[in-house]
Amino acid sequence: MGKKGLTLEEIAKRAREKGFSDDITGIDDTQILKPITAHTERLYDRRWNIYTKTHPNVSPHDMQTAKHFVEFLACCAEGVNSDKPTVSSIRMYWRQFISAWERRTSDPISKKIKESITYYIQGHLQKKLALPATQRQPHYLTTKVFVILLKQLWQNDWYEYHHESSRVRFTAALQLCCYTSGRIGEFFESSVRPGSNLGLYYKDITFVIRWDNDRKPEIVVKILRNYAKGMTNTPLKRPMHSIYEKTDTLLVNPVLFLLAIALADNAFRDYSTLEEILAIEPPADEDLYHIEWKDDILDMPFFRTATFEGPTNKIQKSNSFSHQLVALGRRAGYEENITVHDARREALIKADDGYSIAERMKFAGHIDSSTFLNSYMAQISTVDGQASFLGQKLRGDHIEDLRGMSLRRHPQLWHSLPAKIRCDLECRSDLIALQKDIDTLTEKIVQEGSKQDRVFRQQLYDKKRRIITIELRKQQALQPRRLKSHTAHETHLEDFRRTLFSRTHHLMPERSRLASYLLLPVALRSPEGRCVLADLISLCTQDSRVAYQSSLQPKMGNCPVPKCLLRTDRTYLESRYGFAQLCFQCDKWITDEAKWDQHCQSHLDKPELLPLRCEPLVFRLALACAGYCPFCLGNPRLPASERLHQFMYKNRWLPHIGQHVRELDSDKAVKCLHPGCAISFGSVQDLLYHFEDIHGIKFTEATTKRKLYFDSEDDVSRVKKSRRASRQDKKSNDLLYKKKFKIAKVPPHLSVSPSDI
């Protein structure tokens, strides 16, 4: 609107003075569509472009071509847990194609073809290709699932991140997803915006200390979802969330992990330690105090990638976090893939209870009120029909448990195929043929080094890995689900990964303390809370590439105790005392041979405490657990020190056990001699399967000098040829591994090479 007093002619004159032209010939009449990212546009067009390369001059307006195209979509796609996609997936691909076609051309596909192809997919195509009709049911990451995931991550997790700071940041990210209902692209760089570097930055986070009416301080954090979906052009409508330090346990305290990350990054302008922040006094006549960031930290991503050296300045990708979440769910025993949207779905379900529609929409970042009803509301009703009908007190505690059943959990879920099933799979004709193709390409690569051959070989590796994964999913579905307490007389196949943390936690004092302290129902400001925060900061800043037992932690090659020059290596102890042995179970040096024999006998007197896993375990370039021989452990005629002989290298341990195996009579029943096991088997082969699954002893044909894992001489020669062909790759990998780990020296008697790992 013009200023008051201006005539219409004066307004038109002003417009012309500012560049307005009365000539409209330079303006086209093209329809302007809502912009989409380049990645999305390429994704929409990709399948049609591939199809037209082999079928030129075709048009989706032709019914026959459209049917043939959707059959192409169904045949080139793969399902999540099978080699075939579901009907709903093919329908989604068809809708994506229609959307892309109508954006790119001015010739929309007729309603007749759209509907016909939809019914064709649901009917004829499904029967022709035997497509699964089941649709993925919505999952809900309930409070119990959330706590189980965090317990797995901190109490029993065997996965080793490049750097332990990633474990801390992953926890903080998962908590933000659950507490704010944020989408993954609002915290990490979304896969549909590659190269954009958009996500959660320090400038989107505000730390505030507030004091209540009793003048008790509390840290409150404000989170801005700066890239909320559909709000690119309306920044003032983007949702903000508040989280606070008061929680039931430290494990679910988001401020604890956010504060640890910020202190590890030295991000605060005026404070560098926790004690300084906790000592802040309230300003006069105010109950809020804003803790400022450093200026150079504002544009740094909060969730960043990490290398072996530590965190980088690069923002983490959403695909990376998604894969980490799925993998954590699998390690926790969940059979379905857990996604960030499962957390968002549950958060919105709970926000619908007790809050207005407007409040829930702001919390969710929704623009349309019907989005929740159509896409998020659970199928199970929250109405207590039983109590309502009977006139009793309404309850809803059971509803969340039933929602949580959408994610089925098996606490003893297998993460790899049992030895016998794996061997049977490897003898399958299709896998043998696939392995022969891989071996042929490997030999060709060693001789010629063709880049194209490497690509083909990687595709074959991916195909082989997918076959094994599909078989694993089938076996997981068939895995017995009976509780141990109900089957005390049965032998359970316990996945060896579940024991890894218990065997290595003594090398990680910070994580060992966190495993217990995080479950304490204490405040962040308590002594335990401060200890937890200090350990989290240490994980974010320390070197995660090497670990030592406390008795082997060197300091300039000497004992770490001040004013003590005692060298900790075995050579020195043997030269001084004439004998030295380190008990890896007790983490204790013994320098008297008679006392060592007595010490070994004390372990043998408690067979239930002997480790079932017998292999030497290497953790972060150092030996975490020594190896044992189950045959020697169960031989009472040997001296105690020989029965409990500790093997430090696999290339000495495995041949020793192989010699025992070669002495067995393959035609007679055999018994596992491990004192904590003592199970009988009908054949040597069954005993070897048991050794691999339970005791961590994986035999090969070269170890036992007999064809235990192969059905024919061709299979034996195939494996030998594959090993010879891959030696060159192995040498280069070892060199690369050594370059990555240029770190402090490991004690000579415990150091390992990459080949031993």
Side-chain angles (χ1 to χ4, degrees):
M1 180 181 293
K3 290 184 179 180
K4 186 177 180 180
L6 294 179
T7 64
L8 296 177
E9 290 77 7
E10 290 173 333
I11 295 174
K13 180 181 178 182
R14 176 178 295 178
R16 294 187 184 93
E17 290 174 352
K18 293 184 177 181
F20 175 74
S21 174
D22 293 322
D23 185 9
I24 65 172
T25 56
I27 301 176
D28 60 48
D29 59 351
T30 305
Q31 180 185 4
I32 305 300
L33 301 174
K34 181 180 179 180
I36 59 176
T37 64
H39 173 81
T40 303
E41 191 167 3
R42 288 194 301 270
L43 180 67
Y44 282 6
D45 294 342
R46 183 175 58 187
R47 299 179 184 90
W48 176 255
N49 292 338
I50 296 173
Y51 177 76
T52 53
K53 285 184 179 180
T54 54
H55 301 81
N57 302 322
V58 293
S59 170
H61 296 287
D62 177 64
M63 185 72 74
Q64 188 178 16
T65 299
K67 290 181 178 180
H68 192 240
F69 174 59
V70 295
E71 185 172 344
F72 165 77
L73 294 178
C75 291
C76 68
E78 291 181 333
V80 176
N81 294 324
S82 67
D83 57 347
K84 294 182 179 180
T86 62
V87 172
S88 59
S89 296
I90 305 306
R91 289 186 59 190
M92 179 189 69
Y93 296 150
W94 172 243
R95 290 194 300 269
Q96 288 178 346
F97 165 72
I98 293 174
S99 175
W101 180 269
E102 294 181 349
R103 289 182 63 88
R104 189 173 59 250
T105 68
S106 58
D107 190 13
I109 298 174
S110 67
K111 182 179 179 180
K112 175 183 176 181
I113 290 185
K114 291 180 183 179
E115 293 182 349
S116 296
I117 297 303
T118 300
Y119 298 140
Y120 175 75
I121 295 171
Q122 295 174 340
H124 180 78
L125 188 62
Q126 179 189 355
K127 294 179 180 179
K128 180 179 179 180
L129 301 180
L131 300 177
T134 56
Q135 190 173 357
R136 181 183 184 271
Q137 294 297 316
H139 298 154
Y140 299 88
L141 200 158
T142 60
T143 304
K144 290 184 178 179
V145 177
F146 173 61
V147 172
I148 288 173
L149 291 178
L150 292 183
K151 284 184 177 180
Q152 172 66 32
L153 186 66
W154 289 103
Q155 287 193 311
N156 193 35
D157 202 24
W158 58 84
Y159 181 75
E160 276 296 303
Y161 293 92
H162 288 324
H163 194 271
E164 278 299 307
S165 63
S166 298
R167 193 181 305 273
V168 182
R169 295 178 193 275
F170 177 88
T171 305
L174 180 58
Q175 289 175 337
L176 288 185
C177 291
C178 293
Y179 299 158
T180 69
S181 77
R183 300 177 179 87
I184 190 171
E186 296 164 5
F187 302 126
F188 306 92
E189 182 185 277
S190 174
S191 58
V192 301
R193 298 192 296 258
S196 64
N197 293 323
L198 299 181
L200 184 68
Y201 281 74
Y202 269 97
K203 62 184 178 183
D204 303 321
I205 304 174
T206 304
F207 268 78
V208 174
I209 300 180
R210 64 176 295 273
W211 288 264
D212 59 19
N213 295 333
D214 298 328
R215 307 306 284 171
K216 292 183 178 179
E218 180 185 23
I219 298 176
V220 178
V221 183
K222 183 177 69 174
I223 306 293
L224 171 63
R225 288 162 53 189
N226 208 11
Y227 302 102
K229 182 179 179 181
M231 297 183 181
T232 303
N233 300 320
T234 55
L236 296 181
K237 292 185 178 181
R238 296 168 186 170
M240 291 184 182
H241 303 270
S242 61
I243 54 178
Y244 43 87
E245 68 170 90
K246 293 181 180 179
T247 53
D248 294 335
T249 62
L250 295 172
L251 185 66
V252 298
N253 191 324
V255 173
L256 177 68
F257 295 90
L258 295 178
L259 187 58
I261 295 171
L263 288 172
D265 288 341
N266 196 21
F268 295 115
R269 186 185 66 188
D270 306 307
Y271 306 95
S272 57
T273 66
L274 171 66
E275 298 304 326
E276 292 177 349
I277 293 177
L278 297 185
I280 296 176
E281 295 291 335
D285 302 326
E286 291 188 28
D287 56 6
L288 288 177
Y289 179 76
H290 177 202
I291 308 178
E292 299 283 351
W293 300 120
K294 290 181 177 178
D295 291 338
D296 58 350
I297 209 80
L298 292 174
D299 293 322
M300 178 182 288
F302 193 79
F303 298 117
R304 310 192 298 279
T305 60
T307 64
F308 293 103
E309 287 76 21
T312 68
N313 291 328
K314 296 181 180 178
I315 189 170
Q316 187 176 352
K317 312 291 185 183
S318 60
N319 284 343
S320 170
F321 181 78
S322 294
H323 294 159
Q324 290 177 7
L325 180 56
V326 170
L328 176 63
R330 294 285 182 180
R331 297 196 299 272
Y334 288 99
E335 300 174 7
E336 294 86 5
N337 291 345
I338 297 179
T339 66
V340 171
H341 216 70
D342 299 339
R344 174 174 168 80
R345 192 178 289 112
E346 178 65 17
L348 297 187
I349 288 288
K350 290 183 175 177
D352 189 51
D353 184 15
Y355 293 94
S356 67
I357 295 178
E359 289 173 318
R360 190 199 67 221
M361 289 178 62
K362 174 61 70 175
F363 177 73
H366 283 162
I367 300 175
D368 187 350
S369 60
S370 64
T371 303
F372 173 77
L373 177 63
N374 296 332
S375 303
Y376 291 94
M377 196 167 185
Q379 189 174 1
I380 182 171
S381 174
T382 57
V383 175
D384 186 358
Q386 175 181 329
S388 178
F389 184 82
L390 297 176
Q392 299 174 347
K393 182 180 178 180
L394 303 180
R395 55 176 292 198
D397 55 314
H398 61 297
I399 299 297
E400 182 176 341
D401 292 336
L402 295 178
R403 254 196 336 264
M405 288 182 62
S406 61
L407 290 167
R408 298 184 62 199
R409 181 170 182 254
H410 193 317
Q412 286 80 43
L413 188 70
W414 293 338
H415 297 282
S416 58
L417 291 172
K420 187 177 187 311
I421 298 175
R422 178 182 56 79
C423 291
D424 293 341
L425 179 64
E426 289 177 350
C427 294
R428 234 170 56 181
S429 58
D430 58 337
L431 219 60
I432 291 176
L434 192 60
Q435 186 60 49
K436 288 182 178 179
D437 292 340
I438 292 174
D439 295 340
T440 302
L441 278 174
T442 300
E443 291 182 357
K444 189 176 180 182
I445 290 170
V446 171
Q447 296 173 0
E448 303 175 7
S450 170
K451 184 177 180 179
Q452 189 65 30
D453 288 336
R454 291 181 182 272
V455 173
F456 290 155
R457 186 178 65 170
Q458 185 59 48
Q459 292 174 351
L460 294 178
Y461 275 131
D462 293 340
K463 185 176 181 180
K464 179 181 178 180
R465 185 163 48 248
R466 183 167 182 81
I467 292 174
I468 296 174
T469 300
I470 292 174
E471 182 63 28
L472 176 60
R473 297 289 178 261
K474 291 179 181 178
Q475 295 301 325
Q476 288 174 339
L478 298 174
Q479 185 180 350
R481 304 186 67 90
R482 302 179 67 186
L483 298 176
K484 285 186 177 181
S485 58
H486 297 165
T487 57
H489 62 285
E490 297 180 7
T491 301
H492 285 266
L493 176 58
E494 183 76 17
D495 195 295
F496 74 93
R497 297 169 184 82
R498 302 187 192 283
T499 64
L500 283 180
F501 180 65
S502 64
R503 300 174 68 198
T504 59
H505 72 92
H506 59 285
L507 304 182
M508 302 175 288
E510 293 85 3
R511 274 199 64 192
S512 183
R513 284 192 297 269
L514 288 169
S516 57
Y517 278 24
L518 280 172
L519 291 180
L520 296 177
V522 296
L524 184 151
R525 298 167 186 270
S526 66
E528 296 86 355
R530 298 183 187 212
C531 177
V532 165
L533 188 54
D535 285 336
L536 291 174
I537 295 173
S538 179
L539 289 182
C540 291
T541 55
Q542 70 181 5
D543 193 334
S544 299
R545 296 171 290 179
V546 68
Y548 296 96
Q549 298 205 122
S550 58
S551 59
L552 295 172
Q553 180 73 37
K555 188 175 183 180
M556 302 299 293
N558 296 330
C559 173
V561 179
K563 299 182 181 180
C564 179
L565 299 179
L566 176 66
R567 295 187 59 84
T568 56
D569 58 86
R570 174 178 295 176
T571 304
Y572 173 77
L573 292 175
E574 286 180 345
S575 65
R576 180 173 180 179
Y577 298 101
F579 178 86
Q581 279 287 349
L582 172 66
C583 178
F584 279 85
Q585 296 184 54
C586 303
D587 192 15
K588 179 181 179 181
W589 281 103
I590 296 177
T591 55
D592 183 87
E593 190 169 0
K595 290 183 178 180
W596 171 247
D597 198 74
Q598 295 173 5
H599 184 83
C600 293
Q601 187 60 50
S602 67
H603 283 296
L604 294 170
D605 291 339
K606 299 177 181 179
E608 69 279 1
L609 299 181
L610 290 174
L612 278 178
R613 301 295 297 185
C614 295
E615 81 277 22
L617 178 60
V618 174
F619 178 76
R620 295 183 182 175
L621 296 182
L623 191 64
C625 298
Y628 301 96
C629 171
F631 293 95
C632 295
L633 284 173
N635 188 351
R637 293 171 295 185
L638 294 176
S641 57
E642 291 187 27
R643 294 177 64 185
L644 208 69
H645 179 77
Q646 299 181 126
F647 292 87
M648 299 181 184
Y649 302 100
K650 285 187 177 180
N651 56 6
R652 298 176 185 175
W653 165 77
L654 203 55
H656 171 86
I657 301 177
Q659 181 61 38
H660 286 292
V661 172
R662 287 192 292 273
E663 294 172 357
L664 296 175
D665 189 342
S666 58
D667 297 329
K668 294 183 179 180
V670 290
K671 183 179 180 180
C672 177
L673 296 181
H674 191 289
C677 192
I679 303 175
S680 298
F681 299 93
S683 66
V684 173
Q685 182 66 72
D686 290 337
L687 175 66
L688 297 184
Y689 291 146
H690 168 77
F691 276 169
E692 181 174 344
D693 292 331
I694 304 300
H695 300 299
I697 307 170
K698 185 175 181 180
F699 287 105
T700 62
E701 180 270 342
T703 305
T704 58
K705 301 299 182 184
R706 53 168 79 192
K707 295 180 292 181
L708 296 171
Y709 276 63
F710 309 103
D711 289 342
S712 66
E713 291 291 347
D714 291 340
D715 293 336
V716 176
S717 61
R718 171 179 57 80
V719 172
K720 289 182 178 180
K721 185 185 297 184
S722 175
R723 289 174 184 160
R724 287 195 301 269
S726 62
R727 281 175 186 168
Q728 191 66 32
D729 286 346
K730 185 176 182 299
K731 288 181 180 178
S732 61
N733 288 337
D734 282 1
L735 290 174
L736 178 61
Y737 194 86
K738 290 177 181 178
K739 284 182 179 180
K740 284 184 178 179
F741 293 97
K742 287 184 178 179
I743 50 182
K745 290 184 178 180
V746 181
H749 65 290
L750 294 179
S751 61
V752 295
S753 68
S755 303
D756 296 324
I757 297 177

